[in-house]
Amino acid sequence: MASKRKPFEEQDLNLTPIMNLVTILIPFLIMAAQFVHLAVIDSTLPAIGPASTEPPDPNEKPPLQLSLAVTGKGIIVSGADMVLYPDGRPAFAEGEERPPTIPCKNGTCNSVEDYDWAELTAKLNLIKDEYPDNQNVILVPDNSIKYELVVRTMDAAREDPARKTEAGPRELFPFVVIAGGAK
Amino acid sequence: MATKKARRPEIDADLNINSMMDMMTIILVFLLKSYSTTDVSVAPSDDLELPFSSAAKAPEMAVNLVVEKRQIVVDGRPVLMLESKDDEDNPGQKQIVVPESELRGQSINKLFEVLLEKAENAKRLGEVNTKNPDLGFKGRILLQVDKDMPFEVLRSVMYTAGQAQFGEFKFVVYKTE
């Protein structure tokens, strides 16, 4: 009797039910898998309210009304002349086109990377140093500006990844309002 | 005959699935890692390529407005075809525009009607379900816009959404890691 039994009979664990379970789980997980990660950028319409009737306090710092105009030649930063031009803004002749505050690198603006994002972030850092409580920025893109560029400008204005604080990258102006601009 | 009886007919028929189990277990772990429960979904196509951004805010449920290269889609329903015309500033290049006949000032007629209906439905739903604050109209709208869309089109779309009382825009972008 003993000789008939195989000496090394393997007692395999029956894995078939687990296999069944796993095979059914995998299609479901593949369906729910996310291979691209999505995020959203908040923005609101410009709010129109009654103008302030109180006379501005001459001793107070004038409020920051930062706006970034994205054009085909570069980015024009306005509303923060006090910071950017401490000695007074360079004068322009009447009717002359205002050159962009941050012109494109190499003078051409063909792709998104041609814009000088590092310079823009540096300028916005300066403005943020002067107005630490302000979080708003108005974006005024030109008609022909591509959406990708608008998003990139919002990214540059939101935070500075190079300057770390305890709570992550330094926040610049996260509340973006996109203004229509005149047609 | 005697030898045939002694052989067990079933024992050699077992397939060794251990290695397959190993593989499956590893796949399972990776799939669980990428498991997501976001309710916003993007159907990528040649006509819709979202831009990349460093934004980190998670998307939430809202009216879904998709501006593709050739059409505008609201909650899966095509609303308007966009036109492609010669760019005046750059000869030889095409530019996407909203057809003149659909524009009333800056507002896009068909889109306005659809969005207004959505807004009113949401308001009605909010009035009926007073217990659930998640329902009801909050003016939020998810915008999935192709990255090459000129701002002119985007502005008309945003203006129209604003007219239909959607004031809180959420631009859907791909997250850069």
Side-chain angles (χ1 to χ4, degrees), chain A residues 52-63:
Chain A
S52 172
T53 46
E54 286 174 36
D57 189 348
N59 299 325
E60 227 174 74
K61 207 157 54 167

Side-chain angles (χ1 to χ4, degrees), chain B residues 148-165:
Chain B
D148 290 329
M149 194 59 57
F151 182 68
E152 195 175 8
V153 176
L154 186 63
R155 192 190 51 206
S156 294
V157 169
M158 285 168 62
Y159 180 83
T160 313
Q163 294 290 302
Q165 300 155 48

